[in-house]
Amino acid sequence: MKIITSVAEMQEWSSAERSAGNSVGFVPTMGALHEGHAKLFSESVTRNQRTVVSIFVNSLQFDDASDLEAYPRQLEQDCVIAERENVHVLFVPNHKEMYPDGFTSIISTGSIASHMEGLHRPGHFDGVATVVVKLLNAVAPTVSYFGEKDFQQVAVIRQVVRDLNIPCEIASVTTVRDKSGLALSSRNMRLTAEHLGQAPQIFILLSQIAEQCRTHETSSAAMKNRFNTELPAVTAATVEYVEIVDSNTLRPAQIATNGTTICVAVWFGDVRLIDNVSI
Ligand code: PAF
């Protein structure tokens, strides 16, 4: 596995691969890799001649300095996982390479990013969009892979790529869960043992609500109320938001029915988890 740290070398490598007729699959990450990432890598390796993974903890998308500080960093372990998954290039630029002195341009993501994560983490999606566009310009992939756990992120990136005519397919990959149903996330390692035992209730309750909506069309308000009441009754979690949105447009839906998705963010202590289930 080749390690590249500069944008110029990344662009050169990718351009040579594309000229040789090879498709390039790309998975952007912030490191602290787990089996959820590994699934994205293997999807890319199966579908493309070359796979690039980037590791860059993007300060621009953190609205909270302590969250940025606490974000796990484990490059050595990450290299082992990427090697194991047959990744060809690990792109690991440093902060100065991505945001050199004099950097000022930030992408404004607009209405698709104005609720849920965008509302509760001001500036988050502008930071995500900016770094993803910079990474896509560095790697110039044929297709880029994102996990569906970050449901709104996938929608925002599709919108940006469409709006800015970036010639790259955006592929989404289903959420990987542990056997309890908890969605894999780099943040799970910061949960206390007690909270780790309770966190699977998020998916259990979401699945029950989705099932209820599949069999009995019901109002979103009633289902949001059910989540807001039942999760804190069986765990120590605080619900930050629960929204039911159209799965394509992400506009809030009045009725929780087929074609909508329930998206939630909850706190266990100082750890924030997100998840979603489509009805
Ligand atoms: O999903 C993530 O890990 C990040 O938001 C991403 C897409 C790598 C951008 O920093």
Side-chain angles (χ1 to χ4, degrees):
M1 184 174 70
K2 191 175 168 65
I3 310 258
I4 295 181
T5 56
S6 87
V7 170
E9 190 187 349
M10 190 65 251
Q11 286 171 328
E12 217 173 288
W13 181 90
S14 186
S15 155
E17 291 296 337
R18 302 280 300 258
S19 303
N22 290 327
S23 66
V24 176
F26 173 48
V27 185
T29 82
M30 296 204 297
L33 303 179
H34 51 65
E35 292 309 308
H37 295 110
K39 184 171 176 199
L40 300 176
F41 304 166
S42 81
E43 194 78 18
S44 173
V45 167
T46 308
R47 283 189 48 200
N48 299 280
Q49 276 95 29
R50 298 287 180 266
T51 288
V52 178
V53 167
S54 66
I55 296 182
F56 178 67
V57 181
N58 176 36
S59 55
L60 219 56
Q61 71 188 73
F62 286 82
D63 51 313
D64 174 351
S66 60
D67 195 23
L68 171 62
E69 185 70 25
Y71 202 85
R73 290 154 172 92
Q74 45 176 60
L75 188 57
E76 246 174 70
Q77 245 172 282
D78 289 349
C79 285
V80 173
I81 296 178
E83 288 258 28
R84 188 196 75 195
E85 295 299 324
N86 301 314
V87 166
H88 299 91
V89 170
L90 204 57
F91 178 43
V92 197
N94 66 20
H95 185 268
K96 202 154 186 180
E97 184 67 14
M98 291 300 280
Y99 301 122
D101 291 345
F103 173 87
T104 59
S105 305
I106 307 284
I107 290 176
S108 173
T109 44
S111 61
I112 194 152
S114 64
H115 60 328
M116 301 197 290
E117 291 302 283
L119 182 66
H120 292 273
R121 303 182 66 189
H124 170 67
F125 282 127
D126 291 357
V128 170
T130 303
V131 82
V132 168
V133 168
K134 284 178 71 73
L135 291 167
L136 293 177
N137 283 336
V139 178
T142 322
V143 49
S144 185
Y145 297 84
F146 295 86
E148 283 175 5
K149 181 176 76 65
D150 295 295
F151 189 74
Q152 191 176 15
Q153 172 170 279
V154 178
V156 168
I157 290 165
R158 283 194 208 282
Q159 174 88 40
V160 168
V161 162
R162 197 167 50 238
D163 287 350
L164 301 184
N165 302 331
I166 298 173
C168 172
E169 179 192 338
I170 301 300
S172 63
V173 176
T174 47
T175 303
V176 180
R177 300 180 181 280
D178 69 15
K179 11 185 222 318
S180 70
L182 177 64
L184 297 193
S185 163
S186 308
R187 293 171 192 270
N188 294 354
M189 66 175 82
R190 291 178 42 218
L191 291 169
T192 63
E194 189 194 353
H195 290 163
L196 191 59
Q198 296 177 353
Q201 293 299 327
I202 302 169
F203 180 63
I204 292 171
L205 185 54
L206 282 177
S207 303
Q208 288 170 358
I209 293 176
E211 196 46 41
Q212 179 180 348
C213 297
R214 282 183 201 113
T215 47
H216 305 90
E217 198 175 86
T218 177
S219 79
S220 295
M223 292 303 95
K224 284 161 66 169
N225 190 36
R226 181 172 169 195
F227 189 86
N228 274 323
T229 316
E230 290 187 19
L231 191 72
V234 292
T235 68
T238 309
V239 179
E240 185 170 87
Y241 70 77
V242 43
E243 292 295 342
I244 301 178
V245 296
D246 180 284
S247 303
N248 293 317
T249 64
L250 264 62
R251 288 204 195 97
Q254 298 306 311
I255 305 293
T257 184
N258 288 339
T260 63
T261 298
I262 317 169
C263 302
V264 300
V266 311
W267 289 89
F268 278 98
D270 64 350
V271 182
R272 185 176 186 275
L273 302 179
I274 59 171
D275 202 352
N276 65 83
V277 166
S278 289
I279 297 173

mmCIF file of all heavy atoms in Angstrom, residues 28-30 58 61 128 131-132 146 150 153, ligand 1:
data_model
loop_
_atom_site.group_PDB
_atom_site.id
_atom_site.type_symbol
_atom_site.label_atom_id
_atom_site.label_comp_id
_atom_site.label_asym_id
_atom_site.label_seq_id
_atom_site.Cartn_x
_atom_site.Cartn_y
_atom_site.Cartn_z
ATOM 1 N N PRO A 28 -13.395 8.606 1.482
ATOM 2 C CA PRO A 28 -12.849 9.604 2.420
ATOM 3 C C PRO A 28 -13.197 9.215 3.851
ATOM 4 O O PRO A 28 -14.325 8.800 4.120
ATOM 5 C CB PRO A 28 -13.564 10.902 2.016
ATOM 6 C CG PRO A 28 -14.802 10.483 1.311
ATOM 7 C CD PRO A 28 -14.617 9.079 0.808
ATOM 8 N N THR A 29 -12.237 9.335 4.756
ATOM 9 C CA THR A 29 -12.509 9.025 6.172
ATOM 10 C C THR A 29 -11.761 10.022 7.055
ATOM 11 O O THR A 29 -10.885 10.753 6.584
ATOM 12 C CB THR A 29 -12.026 7.607 6.588
ATOM 13 O OG1 THR A 29 -10.618 7.654 6.887
ATOM 14 C CG2 THR A 29 -12.282 6.567 5.530
ATOM 15 N N MET A 30 -12.111 9.980 8.344
ATOM 16 C CA MET A 30 -11.337 10.757 9.317
ATOM 17 C C MET A 30 -10.531 9.797 10.196
ATOM 18 O O MET A 30 -10.120 10.142 11.302
ATOM 19 C CB MET A 30 -12.267 11.630 10.159
ATOM 20 C CG MET A 30 -12.981 12.680 9.301
ATOM 21 S SD MET A 30 -13.536 14.119 10.200
ATOM 22 C CE MET A 30 -14.717 13.393 11.307
ATOM 23 N N ASN A 58 -10.892 16.606 9.779
ATOM 24 C CA ASN A 58 -11.180 17.911 9.183
ATOM 25 C C ASN A 58 -11.692 18.907 10.221
ATOM 26 O O ASN A 58 -12.886 18.912 10.551
ATOM 27 C CB ASN A 58 -12.227 17.692 8.078
ATOM 28 C CG ASN A 58 -12.674 18.984 7.447
ATOM 29 O OD1 ASN A 58 -11.874 19.908 7.282
ATOM 30 N ND2 ASN A 58 -13.951 19.037 7.071
ATOM 31 N N GLN A 61 -15.153 20.929 10.006
ATOM 32 C CA GLN A 61 -16.513 20.412 10.187
ATOM 33 C C GLN A 61 -16.884 20.200 11.650
ATOM 34 O O GLN A 61 -17.954 19.696 11.952
ATOM 35 C CB GLN A 61 -16.704 19.117 9.396
ATOM 36 C CG GLN A 61 -15.959 17.905 9.929
ATOM 37 C CD GLN A 61 -16.057 16.730 8.969
ATOM 38 O OE1 GLN A 61 -15.438 16.714 7.910
ATOM 39 N NE2 GLN A 61 -16.849 15.731 9.313
ATOM 40 N N VAL A 128 -17.870 19.931 5.848
ATOM 41 C CA VAL A 128 -17.814 18.616 5.183
ATOM 42 C C VAL A 128 -17.729 18.819 3.667
ATOM 43 O O VAL A 128 -16.883 18.224 2.988
ATOM 44 C CB VAL A 128 -19.062 17.763 5.529
ATOM 45 C CG1 VAL A 128 -19.133 16.521 4.648
ATOM 46 C CG2 VAL A 128 -19.066 17.361 6.999
ATOM 47 N N VAL A 131 -14.273 20.103 2.470
ATOM 48 C CA VAL A 131 -13.175 19.121 2.468
ATOM 49 C C VAL A 131 -13.432 18.020 1.441
ATOM 50 O O VAL A 131 -12.494 17.553 0.782
ATOM 51 C CB VAL A 131 -12.917 18.544 3.883
ATOM 52 C CG1 VAL A 131 -13.874 17.431 4.244
ATOM 53 C CG2 VAL A 131 -11.482 18.032 3.982
ATOM 54 N N VAL A 132 -14.698 17.612 1.294
ATOM 55 C CA VAL A 132 -14.970 16.531 0.331
ATOM 56 C C VAL A 132 -14.654 17.007 -1.090
ATOM 57 O O VAL A 132 -14.028 16.291 -1.873
ATOM 58 C CB VAL A 132 -16.426 16.011 0.465
ATOM 59 C CG1 VAL A 132 -16.801 15.112 -0.706
ATOM 60 C CG2 VAL A 132 -16.596 15.240 1.775
ATOM 61 N N PHE A 146 -19.774 6.399 0.521
ATOM 62 C CA PHE A 146 -20.141 6.986 1.817
ATOM 63 C C PHE A 146 -21.120 6.052 2.526
ATOM 64 O O PHE A 146 -21.947 5.398 1.884
ATOM 65 C CB PHE A 146 -20.808 8.357 1.610
ATOM 66 C CG PHE A 146 -19.878 9.381 1.022
ATOM 67 C CD1 PHE A 146 -19.712 9.466 -0.355
ATOM 68 C CD2 PHE A 146 -19.152 10.229 1.836
ATOM 69 C CE1 PHE A 146 -18.830 10.392 -0.910
ATOM 70 C CE2 PHE A 146 -18.270 11.155 1.296
ATOM 71 C CZ PHE A 146 -18.115 11.238 -0.079
ATOM 72 N N ASP A 150 -24.554 8.152 7.988
ATOM 73 C CA ASP A 150 -24.560 9.620 7.857
ATOM 74 C C ASP A 150 -25.516 9.988 6.720
ATOM 75 O O ASP A 150 -25.106 10.433 5.645
ATOM 76 C CB ASP A 150 -23.136 10.111 7.589
ATOM 77 C CG ASP A 150 -22.229 9.842 8.771
ATOM 78 O OD1 ASP A 150 -22.461 10.417 9.836
ATOM 79 O OD2 ASP A 150 -21.301 9.026 8.628
ATOM 80 N N GLN A 153 -25.528 13.532 5.397
ATOM 81 C CA GLN A 153 -24.244 13.826 4.747
ATOM 82 C C GLN A 153 -24.242 13.327 3.293
ATOM 83 O O GLN A 153 -23.789 14.023 2.383
ATOM 84 C CB GLN A 153 -23.099 13.167 5.529
ATOM 85 C CG GLN A 153 -21.752 13.261 4.830
ATOM 86 C CD GLN A 153 -20.596 12.838 5.710
ATOM 87 O OE1 GLN A 153 -20.135 13.618 6.509
ATOM 88 N NE2 GLN A 153 -20.111 11.616 5.566
HETATM 89 O O1 PAF B 1 -17.928 10.911 7.274
HETATM 90 C C1 PAF B 1 -16.795 11.333 7.552
HETATM 91 O O2 PAF B 1 -15.952 10.614 8.107
HETATM 92 C C2 PAF B 1 -16.413 12.773 7.203
HETATM 93 O O3 PAF B 1 -17.488 13.624 7.350
HETATM 94 C C3 PAF B 1 -15.788 12.903 5.802
HETATM 95 C C4 PAF B 1 -16.773 12.547 4.708
HETATM 96 C C5 PAF B 1 -14.550 12.023 5.700
HETATM 97 C C6 PAF B 1 -15.353 14.349 5.573
HETATM 98 O O4 PAF B 1 -14.404 14.765 6.508
#
